[in-house]
């Protein structure tokens, strides 16, 4: 079980390393083009399933850390997707962004 968690954590850390690049692209491009809402939602559901697995199994509670970090990063990218959707559609900014 220990090695299983080690490799699962390594996988999650690799994914976590990729999300900041995606978030940066979303931030600077100011468009949702090239992004897949369905992909991000599916990944978010997967991370939430991982969190649920940890909570239900009552073991390796430290695994909540990488799952929570990744869930937060995907959520940030989803917020930016919504912001960029509004920009693409010419809708008014929500928070007075210029």
């Amino acid at each position: 079980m220990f090695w299983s968690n080690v490799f699962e954590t390594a996988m999650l850390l690799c994914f976590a390393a990729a999300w900041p690049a995606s978030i940066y692209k979303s931030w600077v491009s100011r468009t949702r083009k090239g992004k897949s809402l369905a992909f991000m939602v599916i990944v978010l559901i997967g991370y939430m399933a991982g969190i649920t697995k940890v909570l239900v199994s009552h073991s390796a509670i430290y695994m909540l850390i990488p799952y929570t970090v990744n869930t937060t990063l995907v959520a940030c990218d989803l917020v930016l997707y919504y912001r960029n959707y509004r920009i693409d559609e010419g809708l008014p900014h929500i928070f007075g962004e210029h």
Side-chain angles (χ1 to χ4, degrees), residues 31-76:
T31 182
R32 70 186 191 275
K33 295 181 177 102
K35 294 291 206 164
S36 170
L37 179 60
F39 174 79
M40 288 188 288
V41 170
I42 290 167
V43 170
L44 187 65
I45 291 168
Y47 288 145
M48 290 172 25
I51 289 171
T52 303
K53 178 206 73 141
V54 170
L55 294 174
V56 170
S57 70
H58 301 291
S59 64
I61 201 77
Y62 62 87
M63 291 299 295
L64 286 175
I65 296 168
Y67 277 117
T68 302
V69 168
N70 283 349
T71 300
T72 302
L73 290 169
V74 176
C76 287

Side-chain angles (χ1 to χ4, degrees), residues 13-27 35 69-70 73-74 77 80:
L13 290 173
C14 288
F15 288 161
W19 281 110
S22 180
I23 291 168
Y24 178 77
K25 178 184 175 191
S26 294
W27 180 258
K35 294 291 206 164
V69 168
N70 283 349
L73 290 169
V74 176
D77 213 9
L80 289 172

Side-chain angles (χ1 to χ4, degrees), residues 68-93:
T68 302
V69 168
N70 283 349
T71 300
T72 302
L73 290 169
V74 176
C76 287
D77 213 9
L78 281 168
V79 168
L80 289 172
Y81 182 93
Y82 179 69
R83 179 202 72 161
N84 291 344
Y85 165 80
R86 295 184 65 80
I87 292 170
D88 286 345
E89 298 299 316
L91 298 171
H93 300 294

